[in-house]
C-alpha cells in the first residue's frame, strides 16, 4: 500500500514538474520569437542570456523537484528518483511539443511560411522540381514534424538529465555497508 502511495505521489510531483518545465521552455520560445524582429547586438546577447537562464533553470528545477520528492519520501532510492525525472521529462516534453505545435499550426504559422517563401525565392534556382515539391510537402507537415521532433528531443534530453541528476539524489552513503570488526 505504501508503495502505491509513493508511486501516486511520484506522478503528482512529475506532473507539477513537467508543467513547470514545459511552461519555462514555452515562455522562452515565445519571448525569443518576440525578440526575433529586433535587430542588433544587444538582442543577440539578451537571447544568449535568456537561453542560458532557461537551460540552467530547467536543470535546477529538475533537481529541485527530485530533491523535494526524496525529502517527502526518504525511502526513495536513486532508481525512484530517476523514474520521477523520466516521468517529468515526458510530461514536460508533451507540454512543450503541444505548445510548439500550436505555435506553428495556429499562432505564428504565417511568419514561418513567409520566411520559407523568402528562402525558396533565394534558393529556388538551385533546386530541381523534385526538391521544391519535397519542400512543399515538408511545409504542409511542419506542425506534425515539429510536434514529434520536439517530443522526442525533449524527452531524450530530460531522460539523460534525470540519469545524471539521479546518481546523487538521494546522496549515497559510501559507508552504509561497513561493519566494524567485533573485538
Amino acid at each position: 500500500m505504501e508503495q502505491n502511495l509513493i508511486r501516486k505521489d511520484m506522478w503528482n510531483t512529475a506532473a507539477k514538474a513537467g508543467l513547470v518545465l514545459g511552461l519555462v521552455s514555452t515562455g522562452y520560445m515565445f519571448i525569443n520569437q518576440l525578440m526575433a524582429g529586433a535587430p542588433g547586438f544587444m538582442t543577440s546577447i539578451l537571447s544568449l542570456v535568456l537561453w542560458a537562464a532557461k537551460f540552467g533553470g530547467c536543470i535546477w528545477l529538475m533537481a529541485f523537484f527530485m530533491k523535494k520528492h526524496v525529502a517527502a519520501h526518504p525511502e526513495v532510492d536513486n532508481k525512484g528518483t530517476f523514474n520521477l525525472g523520466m516521468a517529468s521529462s515526458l510530461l514536460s516534453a508533451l507540454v512543450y511539443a503541444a505548445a510548439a505545435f500550436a505555435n506553428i499550426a495556429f499562432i505564428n504559422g504565417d511568419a514561418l511560411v513567409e520566411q520559407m517563401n523568402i528562402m525558396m525565392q533565394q534558393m529556388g534556382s538551385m533546386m530541381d522540381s523534385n526538391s521544391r515539391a519535397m519542400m512543399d510537402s515538408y511545409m504542409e507537415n511542419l506542425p506534425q514534424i515539429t510536434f514529434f521532433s520536439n517530443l522526442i528531443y525533449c524527452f531524450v534530453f530530460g531522460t539523460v538529465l534525470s540519469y545524471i541528476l539521479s546518481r546523487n539524489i538521494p546522496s549515497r552513503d559510501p559507508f552504509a555497508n561497513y561493519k566494524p570488526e567485533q573485538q
Side-chain angles (χ1 to χ4, degrees):
M1 187 66 175
E2 178 72 23
Q3 196 67 13
N4 288 338
L5 291 175
I6 292 173
R7 186 172 292 130
K8 182 179 177 184
D9 189 49
M10 183 206 64
W11 278 103
N12 286 339
T13 304
K16 291 173 191 171
L19 184 62
V20 170
L21 289 166
L23 289 176
V24 166
S25 297
T26 301
Y28 169 75
M29 176 182 65
F30 286 120
I31 290 170
N32 207 22
Q33 283 179 357
L34 289 174
M35 290 185 351
F41 178 72
M42 289 306 292
T43 304
S44 299
I45 296 297
L46 184 60
S47 180
L48 180 66
V49 169
L50 284 174
W51 176 83
K54 178 200 71 132
F55 187 76
C58 285
I59 293 171
W60 182 84
L61 282 169
M62 180 72 85
F64 170 79
F65 281 107
M66 287 176 156
K67 288 176 183 176
K68 183 178 175 184
H69 183 66
V70 168
H73 304 283
E75 62 276 4
V76 172
D77 59 354
N78 299 95
K79 183 180 178 195
T81 308
F82 173 69
N83 290 339
L84 171 75
M86 262 184 61
S88 299
S89 66
L90 174 66
L91 297 173
S92 70
L94 279 171
V95 169
Y96 180 72
F101 174 83
N103 183 40
I104 290 178
F106 307 113
I107 301 170
N108 204 17
D110 294 336
L112 189 64
V113 169
E114 184 179 316
Q115 288 176 354
M116 196 64 161
N117 288 337
I118 291 170
M119 187 192 78
M120 288 299 288
Q121 289 174 357
Q122 293 173 351
M123 305 295 284
S125 62
M126 294 182 225
M127 294 183 185
D128 61 355
S129 61
N130 290 332
S131 298
R132 279 188 231 118
M134 184 191 71
M135 291 301 288
D136 288 339
S137 112
Y138 175 77
M139 286 304 293
E140 290 172 8
N141 297 320
L142 188 60
Q144 294 87 347
I145 292 169
T146 300
F147 176 81
F148 287 110
S149 62
N150 278 320
L151 181 68
I152 293 167
Y153 171 76
C154 292
F155 177 66
V156 169
F157 179 81
T159 300
V160 171
L161 177 63
S162 299
Y163 178 76
I164 292 168
L165 292 175
S166 70
R167 304 316 315 149
N168 293 318
I169 302 173
S171 60
R172 292 182 255 172
D173 182 8
F175 303 108
N177 294 330
Y178 176 72
K179 295 183 179 159
E181 293 180 25
Q182 299 291 332
Q183 291 184 348

